[in-house]
Amino acid sequence: MEQSNVKAATGKLGVMCVGLGAVTTTTIIGALMSRKGLSQPTGSFACKGIMRLGTGRDKVYKEVKEIVPIAELNDIVFGAWDLFPDNAYEAALKASALRPQDIEPVRNELEAIRPIPALFDKNYAANLDGPNVKAAAGRWELTEQLREDIKRFKAENNCERVVVIWIASTEKYIPRDEKVHGSLQAFEEAMKADDTARIAPSMCYAYAAMREGCPFIMGAPNLCIDIPAMWQLAEEMRVPIAGKDFKSGQTMMKTVLAPAFFTRQLGVTGWFSTNILGNRDGVVLDNPENFETKRRSKMSAVENILDSNIYPDLYSDIYHKVRINYYPPRGDEKESWDNIDIFGWMGYPMSIKVNFMCRDSILAAPLALDLILFSDLAARAGYYGIQEFLSFYSKAPMHKDGDTPVHDLFKQFAMLKNAIRVMGGYKADQELD
């Protein structure tokens, strides 16, 4: 073991969430219940994970928090922006992701979390509307208000550090425009010119966070920080950025199954995926412009893992289709179906059916918490820019132009563990656990 240079997790960690809907309130409630000893942070590798260090006779297993200094749940202070004025308790009841009896034990703490007015542009989420929004002359002034929000939250809660995480809706699809998104200077000029067509609300949150020295996490498939301007800002401010789009349900299954097909050299001719869900995310995605952003995120994993350049006879002609359907009766209890048509020895066809009866927020909450804790850890380790080791948590892992992202869940997990080893002062290795 070498010396670890990660700074200790001293003082309070502020977590400012963009959005106070089902996933955010579920994440907050789970963390509050866990620190009261009323629940366990099941699914959080940062809180509960155990991993190997060393090989051969030197092999030992330790908890992640024994290897690197993870912030304690007791030290976290939660805050949020939202376009609805409901406090976290009211928002959790309306979201109906959790049973009332699992919310009541932390009611007082939740009622104290009142959302700051949001920077909201209905053009980016046409199916949403709310009264708790900021008013200003344009994008630059609104972003300055967000910076003041962060400063005030940090001071009022006596936080030593702050992480900002987007857990809000999927914005409508906008393509990268090099004239605006290609450099930080051009991006700032576009903000000052109030270019609402190419500067999305999420970009304003990301810019404000990074200018205040806060790691920023993109939990939706928005373009946002996946542009050169934001990479430059992250490097200039020396802050970590991570994303994008929580890999929680159906895509998680794809990144498990696709590597199995590739490893066993089974061909794939078609992959049809559909979902039904009835929460706020479902409302937003019912708009075709917003669905297009999500579709592109959900499509990327299969094509990346089933590499037709290596096996053109197996994967060069895959018909891949993704559908999401808003179905109010289902609420947060999302259901996904996958039909996968494969072929094997002598070209004989077979098919696989996957019906995942999942709970959207239950799957996403531990991912959000881990991204928060590991982004804070990365910042204290002196890491900045795109955090590729956090690809494990994302549908569409961030990467710079010319780089190839890793989608295979097992390879991503190896990347995550090796980053933890290195931050803990141990050597990275390729041995399987």
Side-chain angles (χ1 to χ4, degrees):
M1 175 181 174
E2 299 175 2
Q3 183 68 33
S4 171
N5 294 317
V6 182
K7 294 179 181 178
T10 57
K12 292 183 180 179
L13 171 63
V15 176
M16 298 191 73
C17 305
V18 186
L20 192 57
V23 175
T24 304
T25 53
T26 301
T27 303
I28 294 172
I29 292 166
L32 295 177
M33 291 285 282
S34 293
R35 68 193 196 186
K36 283 190 170 186
L38 300 175
S39 183
Q40 291 290 324
T42 303
S44 168
F45 188 63
C47 294
K48 298 285 288 182
I50 295 173
M51 56 177 279
R52 175 184 51 77
L53 298 170
T55 60
R57 292 182 178 179
D58 296 327
K59 183 188 301 184
V60 295
Y61 286 85
K62 291 186 177 182
E63 292 187 33
V64 170
K65 57 190 177 184
E66 293 180 284
I67 303 167
V68 287
I70 299 292
E72 295 287 343
L73 295 183
N74 285 331
D75 294 332
I76 294 179
V77 182
F78 290 101
W81 292 273
D82 200 88
L83 71 160
F84 297 104
D86 302 327
N87 64 45
Y89 174 73
E90 295 165 334
L93 291 177
K94 288 183 179 178
S96 299
L98 299 174
R99 297 166 297 193
Q101 60 264 38
D102 295 323
I103 301 172
E104 287 298 325
V106 290
R107 177 173 181 168
N108 292 340
E109 294 95 320
L110 295 173
E111 288 180 334
I113 302 173
R114 297 185 175 277
I116 303 166
L119 190 168
F120 177 70
D121 184 341
K122 192 171 174 62
N123 291 319
Y124 282 83
N127 288 359
L128 286 184
D129 208 355
N132 196 43
V133 298
K134 295 184 182 299
R139 290 289 199 253
W140 185 259
E141 185 180 329
L142 286 165
T143 303
E144 288 297 301
Q145 290 186 28
L146 294 176
R147 292 184 66 178
E148 289 302 315
D149 292 339
I150 296 169
K151 291 175 184 174
R152 185 167 53 253
F153 177 86
K154 185 175 183 180
E156 289 177 352
N157 293 283
N158 193 29
C159 294
E160 186 172 297
R161 311 173 309 285
V162 172
V163 172
V164 179
I165 180 169
W166 178 282
I167 320 182
S169 300
T170 298
E171 295 173 329
K172 73 174 183 179
Y173 175 71
I174 56 170
R176 185 200 291 187
D177 187 328
E178 291 301 324
K179 292 180 181 179
V180 170
H181 304 137
S183 73
L184 180 57
Q185 180 180 346
F187 182 83
E188 290 177 334
E189 289 173 355
M191 289 181 74
K192 291 174 182 176
D194 198 29
D195 186 346
T196 58
R198 292 175 290 187
I199 304 295
S202 62
M203 294 175 177
C204 298
Y205 281 98
Y207 182 91
M210 285 189 272
R211 278 295 180 204
E212 292 305 314
C214 307
F216 183 82
I217 302 156
M218 174 42 64
N222 308 340
L223 179 63
C224 192
I225 50 174
D226 209 5
I227 55 176
M230 290 297 187
W231 306 336
Q232 291 174 24
L233 180 58
E235 289 170 6
E236 178 185 316
M237 299 303 298
R238 300 180 72 86
V239 294
I241 54 175
K244 57 185 183 179
D245 204 3
F246 299 136
K247 181 158 69 175
S248 53
Q250 188 174 57
T251 306
M252 178 189 70
M253 297 302 297
K254 286 184 175 181
T255 59
V256 171
L257 291 170
F261 302 148
F262 186 83
T263 303
R264 293 294 295 268
Q265 297 178 53
L266 293 169
V268 178
T269 56
W271 200 313
F272 177 77
S273 304
T274 190
N275 305 258
I276 57 172
L277 72 161
N279 57 15
R280 193 191 301 182
D281 197 32
V283 173
V284 172
L285 294 175
D286 207 33
N287 183 295
E289 289 185 306
N290 297 83
F291 169 70
E292 179 61 16
T293 308
K294 177 68 79 171
R295 184 190 71 81
R296 288 172 177 264
S297 174
K298 290 173 74 70
M299 290 283 286
S300 56
V302 168
E303 285 76 3
N304 175 280
I305 297 169
L306 301 179
D307 192 340
S308 60
N309 293 317
I310 297 176
Y311 294 124
D313 55 331
L314 299 180
Y315 309 122
S316 61
D317 194 27
I318 301 174
Y319 186 83
H320 186 195
K321 179 165 283 192
V322 175
R323 289 284 183 265
I324 297 176
N325 303 282
Y326 177 50
Y327 183 58
R330 190 51 60 96
D332 201 63
E333 296 181 30
K334 184 170 73 173
E335 183 170 358
S336 67
W337 296 278
D338 285 86
N339 175 83
I340 313 154
D341 289 296
I342 67 174
F343 62 91
W345 187 251
M346 297 173 63
Y348 273 71
M350 297 168 280
S351 66
I352 297 171
K353 315 288 184 184
V354 180
N355 182 197
F356 192 0
M357 309 278 287
C358 64
R359 294 177 181 268
D360 207 31
S361 298
I362 296 299
L363 290 173
L367 307 189
L369 181 60
D370 274 10
L371 283 163
I372 291 163
L373 294 174
F374 283 133
S375 292
D376 174 58
L377 174 70
R380 286 183 283 109
Y383 290 14
Y384 56 91
I386 297 171
Q387 301 302 299
E388 294 183 3
F389 81 95
L390 295 178
S391 296
F392 180 67
Y393 299 101
S394 299
K395 285 189 181 75
M398 286 184 60
H399 59 96
K400 285 193 173 181
D401 295 342
D403 294 343
T404 301
V406 175
H407 281 268
D408 181 320
L409 186 74
F410 306 101
K411 291 180 180 178
Q412 291 175 334
F413 192 37
M415 290 165 57
L416 173 63
K417 289 183 290 185
N418 271 339
I420 293 168
R421 289 184 181 110
V422 171
M423 282 188 276
Y426 297 85
K427 290 183 178 180
D429 66 63
Q430 298 300 316
E431 182 175 315
L432 294 177
D433 290 338

